[in-house]
């Protein structure tokens, strides 16, 4: 869950393999798998120690005082020892974290999930204290008291009979003659070798080693959190707030020393909305500074960079108002806005609430420009990761490996297509002017409608011709793409409902007769 480290590994040249980088995208899946594993083995661990606690109490023996955790028979030791008390609290914390991580609670009330999930720090602190009770012990004098040895002093005190072999060696310790009809026990005498105890057994608690396994990853995570806090402690400057159809809000911001790659995401934190809660949003527009870009939007002004290097960059996000956090955030932003679309200079800024940005962080969609052919499938607001990719292609596509892009966008209502209709039309017209109309293949699907509809506006005529009614026929679509790109590797990128994702994943793993290979990638905020 160290997002900065994952973004560094993804962006560095040290991880050159696409397959390895796709494994980095499964960090959230690995995190969930580890959590489920901890829960399963915690149940087994607790059940085993409940049996141990019962045995300590019911089978109390005064001969093993140093080994027994109980002080007398029938004592309830669960809440009297450090391991028992910390164990009970850890079970409660783990139960809260697991139940609050379910999909139903995360969707209905994200605050509960966020606050309970941060109890992991309490869990790890208790885990390091859990082993400090010294319940588990080991014998320190195995040479003086090997297991199964004969202790003459103890035998004499307990008035236990011994075999004749020991009567000759230890006549003073003989209590009663050993019955003649019983054979000499093998542990006592074997080939004239006798194991005799020279001292009472001594036991010592194990040295706690849990901290050795936890401290490294925990320190790494704490260092990253400190770095992220320092990097994001200065609020950004909001330059524009735009209200789009279908309850979608666009926020454009300016931040010093901000550099991002297409497809990455940031985490927004607004203290006036929630003191601790923050949420990830994909970047839909990034204007990078430096020599590689021909234009830079700086604080609302467009100026030619030439050989200059500016330290500020404009970037934007689109967010759909679907929960309590986004509703409060929208109300705060639109309270200070007339919902116009111009970008104001810094000295004319409206007074928006303070907004902190943490990131950017890596995502699978960074790879969409590294394939010769890419298939991008978006469902509704899931189009946001591809918006930054399309904006990047609008700035210039010749410097990337990508030579053909299939863009599929599925929406329920016609108004949703207007979020990025201007961007799609501008990119389409540019590619036609450059005599590359086959560079991008746009297909828009309207899944719910009462009749034939069109995107309003004469300038959207290019999109209206690509607007289809119904849902995509994914199998035919994959076969057609495979036929047109024989023996090539195609990157498949999806951001949308799980139903579409599962279908695309299954089709990507299936074989075809054209020798085309599909590599599946899916958006997953870590």
């Amino acid at each position: 869950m160290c997002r900065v480290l994952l973004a560094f590994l993804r962006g560095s040249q040290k991880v050159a393999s696409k397959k390895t980088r796709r494994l980095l995208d499964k960090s959230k899946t690995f995190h969930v798998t580890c959590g489920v594993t901890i829960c399963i083995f915690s149940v087994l661990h607790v059940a085993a120690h409940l049996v141990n606690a019962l045995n300590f109490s019911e089978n109390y023996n005064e001969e093993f005082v140093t080994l027994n955790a109980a002080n007398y028979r029938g004592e309830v030791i669960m809440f009297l020892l450090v391991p028992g008390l910390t164990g009970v609290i850890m079970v409660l914390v783990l139960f809260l974290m697991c139940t609050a991580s379910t999909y139903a609670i995360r969707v209905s009330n994200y605050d509960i999930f966020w606050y309970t999930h941060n109890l992991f720090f309490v869990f790890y602190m208790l885990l390091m204290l859990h082993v400090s009770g010294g319940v588990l012990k080991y014998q320190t004098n195995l040479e003086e008291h090997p297991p199964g040895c004969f202790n003459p002093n103890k035998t004499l005190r307990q008035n236990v009979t011994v075999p004749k072999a020991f009567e000759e060696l230890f006549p003073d310790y003989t209590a009663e003659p050993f019955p003649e009809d019983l054979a000499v026990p093998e542990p006592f005498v074997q080939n004239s070798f006798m194991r005799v105890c020279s001292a009472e057994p001594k036991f010592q608690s194990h040295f706690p080693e849990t901290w050795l396994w936890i401290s490294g990853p925990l320190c790494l995570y704490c260092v990253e959190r400190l770095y992220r806090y320092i990097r994001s402690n200065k609020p950004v400057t909001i330059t524009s707030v735009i209200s789009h159809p279908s309850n979608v809000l666009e926020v454009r911001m300016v931040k010093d020393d901000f550099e991002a790659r297409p497809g990455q995401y940031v985490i927004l934190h607004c203290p006036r909305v929630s003191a601790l809660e923050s949420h990830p949003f994909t970047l839909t527009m990034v204007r990078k500074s430096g020599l590689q870009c021909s234009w830079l939007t700086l604080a609302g002004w467009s100026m030619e960079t030439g050989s200059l290097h500016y330290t500020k960059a404009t970037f934007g996000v689109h967010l759909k108002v679907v929960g309590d956090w986004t509703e409060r955030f929208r109300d705060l932003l639109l309270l200070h806005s007339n919902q116009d679309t111009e970008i104001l200079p810094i000295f004319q800024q409206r007074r928006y609430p303070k907004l902190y940005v943490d990131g950017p962080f890596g995502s699978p969609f960074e790879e969409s420009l590294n394939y010769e052919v890419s298939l991008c499938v978006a469902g509704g607001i899931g189009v946001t990761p591809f918006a930054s990719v399309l904006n990047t292609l609008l700035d210039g596509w010749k410097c990337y490996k990508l030579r053909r892009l299939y863009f599929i966008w599925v929406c329920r209502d016609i108004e949703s297509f207007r979020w990025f209709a201007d961007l799609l039309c501008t990119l389409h017209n540019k590619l036609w002017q450059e005599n590359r109309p086959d560079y991008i293949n746009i297909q828009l699907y309207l899944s719910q409608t009462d009749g034939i509809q069109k995107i309003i506006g004469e300038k959207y005529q290019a999109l209206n011709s690509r607007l289809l009614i119904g849902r995509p026929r994914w199998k035919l679509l994959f076969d057609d793409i495979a036929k047109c790109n024989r023996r090539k590797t195609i990157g498949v990128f999806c951001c949308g409902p799980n139903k579409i994702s599962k279908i695309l994943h299954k089709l990507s793993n299936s074989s075809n007769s054209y020798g085309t290979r599909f590599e599946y990638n899916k958006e997953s905020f870590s």
Side-chain angles (χ1 to χ4, degrees), residues 17 46 70 88 110 123 141 146 175 255 261 267 276 282 292 321 347 371 378 385 402 406 409 425 429 436 478 485 493:
S17 172
V46 170
V88 171
Y110 190 85
F123 181 86
N141 59 341
K255 185 179 180 181
R261 296 186 295 271
I267 297 177
L276 297 176
T282 307
Q292 58 185 7
V321 182
F347 54 81
Y371 286 91
L402 184 65
Y406 294 90
W409 189 6
C425 287
N429 295 333
R436 283 301 309 271
F478 268 69
N485 301 274
F493 301 86

Side-chain angles (χ1 to χ4, degrees), residues 87-104:
V88 171
I89 300 176
M90 288 168 60
V91 169
L92 293 177
V93 171
L94 191 62
F95 176 78
L96 290 175
M97 293 177 63
C98 293
T99 53
S101 299
T102 57
Y103 178 78

Side-chain angles (χ1 to χ4, degrees), residues 146 180 496:
E180 296 293 339

Side-chain angles (χ1 to χ4, degrees), residues 304-316:
E304 190 173 354
T305 60
S307 60
L308 299 178
H309 177 80
Y310 291 93
T311 59
K312 289 189 177 182
T314 295
F315 59 98

Side-chain angles (χ1 to χ4, degrees), residues 218-238:
L218 198 59
C219 288
L220 177 63
Y221 184 79
C222 291
V223 168
E224 186 192 82
R225 293 295 300 185
L226 179 62
Y227 170 75
R228 288 172 54 182
Y229 173 78
I230 296 174
R231 184 177 64 172
S232 60
N233 64 347
K234 185 178 179 180
V236 298
T237 302
I238 300 178

Side-chain angles (χ1 to χ4, degrees), residues 131 207-214:
V131 296
F207 177 76
E209 296 181 352
T210 304
W211 66 274
L212 294 174
W213 300 91
I214 297 178

